[in-house]
Amino acid sequence: MVNLLDFDADGLAAWFAQRDEKPFRARQVLRWMHRFGEDDFERMTDVAKSLRAKLAEEAEIRGPVPVRDSIAADGTRKWLLDVGNGNAVETVFIPETNRGTLCISTQVGCALDCSFCSTGKQGFNRNLSTAEIIGQLWHANRALGAVKTPGETDEGERVISNVVLMGMGEPLANFDNVVAALKLMLDDNAHGLSRRRVTVSTSGIVPAMDRLRDTVPVALAVSLHAPNDALRDQLVPINQKYPLKELMAACRRYLEKAPRDFVTFEYVMLAGVNDSAADARALLALTRDVPCKFNLIPFNPFPQSGYRRSSPEHVRRFQEILMAANIVSTVRKTRGDDIDAACGQLAGQVQDKSRRTAAPLHRLAAGAGSARTQELRR
Ligand code: SAH
Ligand code: SF4
């Protein structure tokens, strides 16, 4: 049975064309699925009855199945979604005064093994399909009562106004499925979000950043976390393949397509590791030619991480140095603390097939995490 959530607009039109159905029929079904959150062909009242029956025979609209639904004291909501074979991924909704942000996952686990990330520590199982990625937005819209009804206009505030690909996984390591899902987020017949309200966060896979720019140039966040290659090689191992000079050049190329945009650099603040005044000044030099903002993220601990969160004073001093150089810098508020919904804490359930997790856990158990840190400071 084909799951129609797996198709973007072009894919769905092609699937309809193979069945001698007109493109506008595909658009109708796309609207029902994504705008109205419908999963029952019979209720698609403006679709010809014969086509509804044909669709029900050949296809389905199958969203993710939640296995847990938690709501934090601050209103942050987290769903644990079953993705089969004992695996599950997490999706987080963060309500704020003027917007609602959905943070979605793109992989079961992550192969990139950043030293401070809970998802990375679990190893990698597999990529999520397009249906599983867009399905998180589909599910959240339904669960939050945010789907539109036929005839309703786009006026008014949206419950989910922003989407960030900052959950489990490296979005650009699952390029094709992520791009199809991004297209659905932007498509007026599907979710109709504006390009600037959808953010891809990447640890810096340079060739894929160029491809993203050429396909769907949504807002870009880059996980920087260190001002020099020696430290970044340790924290974000993909840096060994795409070092900072190449990463900064890729950021500049990305903005060529969208000259009024900027890159958001994410920077997790790790006590005694990357949070000194000298680090902040080195960042200014590094990012001099890239129009950017900084988002400082106080480290969110998880068992055996081996790191500590920078003190508020360190974070403030760091922020002041960036701000004094006219770089807009925000400190990310920790949301959903009581349900482990903060950045880097999303664990889901990952049956690791890469068998990589044993090594870092062993290292950390031996206390090498902090020893390594001290070594780097010298
Ligand atoms: N793989 C992508 C997107 C998912 S992670 C990426 O790395 O950009 C989203 C953000 O959370 C990244 O900036 C990541 O570095 C950060 N992060 C990971 N672990 C964290 C932790 N324990 N505390 C705070 N931020 C963390
Ligand atoms: Fe993967 Fe991002 Fe975590 Fe690094 S920070 S391990 S790239 S999810």
Side-chain angles (χ1 to χ4, degrees):
M1 218 17 128
V2 13
N3 185 359
L4 297 190
L5 286 178
D6 253 322
F7 291 122
D8 62 12
D10 289 346
L12 194 65
W15 191 82
F16 271 58
Q18 283 163 10
R19 282 150 189 80
D20 289 327
E21 296 291 345
K22 298 228 159 52
F24 89 93
R25 291 287 179 210
R27 277 199 298 277
Q28 277 181 318
V29 172
L30 196 72
R31 288 171 74 87
W32 277 107
M33 277 196 290
H34 292 288
R35 280 178 73 93
F36 312 144
E38 189 53 75
D39 59 358
D40 183 350
F41 296 115
E42 261 321 295
R43 284 201 288 261
M44 301 184 175
T45 43
D46 57 0
V47 176
K49 230 178 157 45
S50 56
L51 175 56
R52 279 186 255 162
K54 194 161 124 189
L55 287 171
E57 252 171 50
E58 285 190 59
E60 61 183 347
I61 298 166
R62 187 162 39 83
V65 178
V67 288
R68 203 187 316 139
D69 181 349
S70 341
I71 304 184
D74 67 7
T76 301
R77 188 159 170 187
K78 181 171 88 167
W79 295 276
L80 181 68
L81 304 170
D82 181 21
V83 290
N85 293 326
N87 288 309
V89 297
E90 293 182 321
T91 305
V92 179
F93 175 66
I94 306 146
E96 285 171 285
T97 320
N98 297 315
R99 62 177 172 191
T101 303
L102 192 71
C103 176
I104 69 183
S105 296
T106 56
Q107 299 183 309
V108 183
C110 183
L112 297 189
D113 199 20
C114 299
S115 60
F116 50 82
C117 174
S118 167
T119 305
K121 288 289 152 259
Q122 294 183 298
F124 174 72
N125 183 281
R126 69 169 172 89
N127 282 330
L128 293 183
S129 67
T130 300
E132 289 167 333
I133 299 169
I134 200 65
Q136 296 170 61
L137 178 54
W138 185 88
H139 170 78
N141 263 323
R142 284 167 49 117
L144 296 166
V147 290
K148 294 208 176 298
T149 48
E152 199 179 332
T153 63
D154 275 332
E155 307 292 297
E157 220 170 273
R158 288 163 182 262
V159 178
I160 298 175
S161 58
N162 296 63
V163 175
V164 296
L165 277 63
M166 294 185 184
M168 299 169 66
E170 166 52 50
L172 297 187
N174 181 12
F175 193 84
D176 293 344
N177 296 344
V178 162
V179 160
L182 291 173
K183 286 181 174 167
L184 287 166
M185 289 173 204
L186 305 193
D187 196 305
D188 281 336
N189 289 308
H191 296 280
L193 289 165
S194 91
R195 194 178 62 77
R196 288 194 175 82
R197 288 179 176 271
V198 176
T199 302
V200 165
S201 173
T202 180
S203 54
I205 304 186
V206 165
M209 289 165 66
D210 288 325
R211 286 173 69 204
L212 185 70
R213 173 197 68 167
D214 296 337
T215 5
V216 264
V218 293
L220 184 70
V222 171
S223 294
L224 197 53
H225 307 319
N228 58 63
D229 283 319
L231 181 56
R232 196 164 190 270
D233 281 351
Q234 302 289 325
L235 301 179
V236 186
I238 192 74
N239 192 68
Q240 294 160 23
K241 195 160 177 196
Y242 306 113
L244 284 168
K245 192 159 181 274
E246 287 179 33
L247 182 58
M248 291 304 120
C251 289
R252 285 195 297 274
R253 287 195 298 276
Y254 198 90
L255 295 179
E256 281 167 10
K257 267 280 166 75
R260 283 178 304 137
D261 283 18
F262 51 85
V263 169
T264 301
F265 287 120
E266 297 164 275
Y267 197 92
V268 61
M269 302 285 298
L270 305 165
V273 177
N274 66 354
D275 65 346
S276 72
D279 291 328
R281 285 191 292 270
L283 281 178
L284 292 175
L286 176 72
T287 61
R288 201 169 30 214
D289 299 330
V290 183
C292 63
K293 289 185 181 174
F294 266 83
N295 195 213
L296 307 176
I297 317 173
F299 171 64
N300 291 308
F302 55 91
Q304 290 183 297
S305 75
Y307 291 110
R308 282 178 302 116
R309 180 182 284 190
S310 302
S311 70
E313 294 70 44
H314 272 81
V315 176
R316 200 171 339 105
R317 189 184 55 172
F318 205 91
Q319 182 185 23
E320 277 165 11
I321 294 171
L322 299 176
M323 300 277 269
N326 289 322
I327 297 191
V328 174
S329 309
T330 50
V331 178
R332 190 172 294 172
K333 271 193 272 155
T334 292
R335 298 291 304 259
D337 244 351
D338 44 339
I339 56 169
D340 285 345
C343 301
Q345 286 183 323
L346 301 188
Q349 287 168 19
V350 180
Q351 314 291 328
D352 180 14
K353 274 203 290 211
S354 67
R355 299 191 180 282
R356 194 175 39 62
T357 40
L361 285 178
H362 171 75
R363 277 208 317 265
L364 288 168
S370 45
R372 180 184 58 200
T373 298
Q374 275 157 18
E375 200 177 294
L376 284 164
R377 301 302 309 158
R378 267 190 242 121

